[in-house]
Amino acid sequence: MKKITFLIALYFILIAFTSCSQSDCEAPDNSQVSSVVPAGEEEYQAIEWTLHEQIRLYEYGCYGTEYTSGKENVYLSGFAVMHCQTNNIEYGAESNRQSLIRLATKEYFNVTFDEDHYFSDVSFDDKRLSIRPTEAIIKDDMATVVVQKSLDDQELLDSKYTFRKTVMPQSFEGTIFEQLAYDHYIWKIEKVEIIKDPISSDVVKISNADELIKFSNDVSAKKPEAVNGNFVLTADIDLTDNNEFMPIGTYHENETFDAAALNLKVPMGFNGTFDGAGYTISGFNFNEHAKALGFFRVLNDDAIVKNLSLQGRVVNHYTGDLNCYTGGFAGMISTNAQVENCSFSGNVEGESYVGGFVGEIDYTRVNEKYDQEGFWESGDGLIKDCTSNVTVTAAYYAGGFAGSVLGNLEHCTANGEVIITKGNAGIPMVIGGFCGDVGTQLSNCHSNVKVTHFVDGANRMGNFVGALGRQSIINCTIKADVVNPDWFMVGMKGYLNADVDIKIVD
């Protein structure tokens, strides 16, 4: 009995010791958490505290990033850093902060860093992130906890934590991590999974301009049933002189780099399924100052778009910086999205990252991958059998099909013209007939795009690609009529051993 009393006292002392807000960090009211309790209530509460405290440290220190996403080597140290911050262990020659971080990542996550690896500080404004456990199951040597989260009052995807009971390592004795032990045992985080809500299988039909406008407005308003929904086009739609139709979806720049925003339950852009069923949407005319502009502003990770033909005009006047994305079909497409058998015909104008079909294929919310050499790899998405028939006008990172490609793209075709204009950030650069900048492999693509060069001094210009990274171009073709004999097929190769297989065809 004395042992239980001591543990209860320790439980409340540790809660007071941790510097976190009452609403975000304390274990929730038991009436709000469904639990399976293995032993007495006092023992359960003591164990529950160790679980909830580790979740708090993980969420604030690692920004809630999914443990199985491939980013763990980047973010897992945040768990220990947050514990060091909570306990006011500062950097410095006399501090053991670095060794504590290394110890925690090894014992809790089985990740071993080199001895000379330096862990930079990780901090997060805990007033932005709210954490609320909703379900706890503790049985024998295993435990699971489901957590609801919100960021800046926007719901995040729930997380499911799996813990395994393990004898406390001897290395924990005398360190701050001994606080997270109970009865000489610790509950190690074995897995953290993101729980995605099931997408409704109900198909919404779109047959006229009014229904298309409603779809666009609902996606832009971030209504879950629209952003993550399932839609099919059932007729051609002409939007000529229709001023009510707006680009589909929203773009929030912070979502492309803020790790805490990667798991928003309702993300920016469109994240569902849209089947054009072979029909055409024509006559739209966009004229904006926007960071991302196209028929779809953004196609997010789970987006699937197929069998859709578009005809229109997209003009982006944004010149605040070079980080803006303009395309006829989409401004930006996630490397995890699927786009197949689609086309855009018309005019596209912008300053940077401009493509006849898409401005940039790059952004991804989750599942970023790195190869053994530490280079970023494309996601699991694919743009396949798509075509652009366009006139593109731009100054930086531009091409007849895409401005920049860091995703998987194959069997795509670009027709038309790219007109190089003077920009606001110096001489034009990184422009090609098919694509401006390529960081992943291109295969089985064709360019019939003439690059018209009216500006002196432009650099990194290519008949097919403006600049190529470490990957290769395989089995691609270019129409003989559009080849400039004074240019290389690739304006600049970042890696001399990258293969360039581009055949000139009649």
Side-chain angles (χ1 to χ4, degrees):
M1 186 64 188
K2 288 182 179 180
K3 184 177 180 180
I4 294 296
T5 304
F6 169 77
L7 287 172
I8 295 173
L10 176 63
Y11 168 68
F12 287 107
I13 289 171
L14 289 175
I15 287 179
F17 186 67
T18 54
S19 56
C20 58
S21 67
Q22 178 86 6
S23 60
D24 288 346
C25 303
E26 239 182 16
D29 189 321
N30 287 335
S31 64
Q32 298 178 352
V33 182
S34 60
S35 306
V36 176
V37 183
E41 184 67 23
E42 297 88 350
E43 180 182 1
Y44 170 74
Q45 288 180 350
I47 295 173
E48 185 185 49
W49 178 84
T50 68
L51 303 181
H52 291 173
E53 175 65 358
Q54 289 183 63
I55 290 171
R56 182 189 76 84
L57 293 172
Y58 185 92
E59 293 290 342
Y60 289 141
C62 306
Y63 312 120
T65 303
E66 184 179 8
Y67 178 57
T68 57
S69 71
K71 295 182 180 179
E72 52 263 30
N73 284 3
V74 179
Y75 292 105
L76 285 190
S77 61
F79 169 88
V81 171
M82 278 299 296
H83 209 2
C84 289
Q85 289 175 339
T86 298
N87 290 273
N88 297 316
I89 298 177
E90 303 295 339
Y91 284 110
E94 305 301 321
S95 171
N96 65 345
R97 185 184 184 110
Q98 293 288 311
S99 61
L100 284 170
I101 295 172
R102 183 173 288 104
L103 172 63
T105 53
K106 179 180 179 180
E107 298 295 351
Y108 278 103
F109 305 107
N110 297 318
V111 175
T112 302
F113 289 93
D114 295 335
E115 286 297 321
D116 60 350
H117 183 96
Y118 181 80
F119 299 97
S120 61
D121 205 356
V122 178
S123 60
F124 185 73
D125 181 2
D126 59 8
K127 295 177 182 176
R128 294 183 60 202
L129 182 64
S130 174
I131 304 168
R132 189 173 75 89
T134 59
E135 178 182 312
I137 300 175
I138 304 171
K139 278 188 174 181
D140 300 326
D141 63 345
M142 296 293 292
T144 59
V145 180
V146 175
V147 179
Q148 287 184 348
K149 302 172 291 182
S150 63
L151 177 72
D152 298 330
D153 297 324
Q154 294 188 72
E155 283 188 278
L156 299 172
L157 294 170
D158 294 350
S159 293
K160 180 181 179 181
Y161 282 76
T162 302
F163 297 85
R164 183 178 294 276
K165 184 179 178 180
T166 307
V167 175
M168 187 187 78
Q170 188 175 0
S171 57
F172 274 16
E173 293 182 5
T175 74
I176 55 175
F177 299 113
E178 192 171 14
Q179 299 170 4
L180 296 177
Y182 167 72
D183 196 22
H184 301 292
Y185 289 91
I186 61 170
W187 292 79
K188 292 178 61 173
I189 297 177
E190 190 167 82
K191 185 166 55 176
V192 181
E193 303 169 275
I194 298 300
I195 303 174
K196 292 187 176 182
D197 292 340
I199 297 175
S200 173
S201 59
D202 295 340
V203 178
V204 178
K205 295 180 180 180
I206 297 175
S207 60
N208 55 53
D210 289 340
E211 292 172 348
L212 183 63
I213 290 168
K214 182 182 185 304
F215 161 68
S216 176
N217 291 344
D218 287 349
V219 174
S220 297
K222 299 190 75 171
K223 294 184 178 180
E225 65 275 15
V227 173
N228 300 314
N230 192 345
F231 300 85
V232 62
L233 198 62
T234 60
D236 293 332
I237 298 176
D238 187 356
L239 297 168
T240 304
D241 298 326
N242 188 316
N243 297 321
E244 294 184 50
F245 178 71
M246 302 297 291
I248 297 168
T250 55
Y251 172 76
H252 302 293
E253 189 170 30
N254 69 308
E255 284 195 46
T256 65
F257 62 84
D258 186 348
L262 293 179
N263 289 316
L264 285 175
K265 187 170 287 188
V266 185
M268 66 179 180
F270 180 64
N271 198 46
T273 299
F274 193 102
D275 185 356
Y279 291 104
T280 299
I281 298 173
S282 61
F284 56 89
N285 187 352
F286 302 141
N287 202 314
E288 293 187 12
H289 289 77
K291 293 284 283 186
L293 186 61
F295 182 82
F296 295 97
R297 289 194 196 273
V298 176
L299 290 177
N300 227 307
D301 275 21
D302 296 324
I304 300 174
V305 183
K306 56 187 178 181
N307 308 320
L308 176 63
S309 296
L310 301 176
Q311 298 174 8
R313 181 170 179 263
V314 179
V315 180
N316 194 348
H317 299 281
Y318 183 89
T319 58
D321 54 52
L322 295 186
N323 296 318
C324 57
Y325 313 97
T326 308
F329 198 86
M332 179 181 285
I333 298 178
S334 163
T335 60
N336 284 332
Q338 306 280 340
V339 183
E340 185 172 358
N341 193 32
C342 293
S343 68
F344 172 82
S345 299
N347 295 284
V348 180
E349 299 178 28
E351 176 150 296
S352 63
Y353 293 99
V354 184
F357 192 84
V358 56
E360 181 174 59
I361 308 165
D362 182 4
Y363 156 78
T364 179
R365 295 172 66 207
V366 293
N367 297 325
E368 284 191 4
K369 300 177 182 178
Y370 297 85
D371 64 20
Q372 293 181 346
E373 299 177 53
F375 288 95
W376 188 88
E377 291 185 334
S378 63
D380 297 325
L382 176 64
I383 297 179
K384 181 180 179 182
D385 295 326
C386 292
T387 304
S388 61
N389 301 284
V390 292
T391 298
V392 173
T393 305
Y396 313 101
Y397 297 93
F401 190 86
S404 177
V405 174
L406 282 172
N408 302 312
L409 190 154
E410 62 182 44
H411 293 287
C412 292
T413 299
N415 302 296
E417 183 178 17
V418 171
I419 301 172
I420 303 172
T421 61
K422 184 177 181 180
N424 292 288
I427 61 174
M429 62 180 181
V430 193
I431 297 178
F434 185 80
C435 180
D437 188 34
V438 174
T440 53
Q441 181 174 296
L442 286 184
S443 62
N444 301 294
C445 292
H446 176 69
S447 176
N448 182 23
V449 177
K450 180 177 177 59
V451 181
T452 305
H453 184 194
F454 292 122
V455 182
D456 292 332
N459 65 15
R460 285 177 273 180
M461 319 297 296
N463 281 300
F464 198 85
V465 167
L468 176 66
R470 62 191 295 267
Q471 301 292 347
S472 300
I473 298 176
I474 306 297
N475 197 32
C476 290
T477 57
I478 187 170
K479 191 77 180 295
D481 293 349
V482 301
V483 174
N484 183 336
D486 296 329
W487 290 358
F488 294 110
M489 286 297 166
V490 174
M492 185 194 76
K493 290 173 66 174
Y495 289 77
L496 296 179
N497 60 350
D499 294 327
V500 175
D501 175 18
I502 303 172
K503 295 180 176 63
I504 299 175
V505 298
D506 293 330

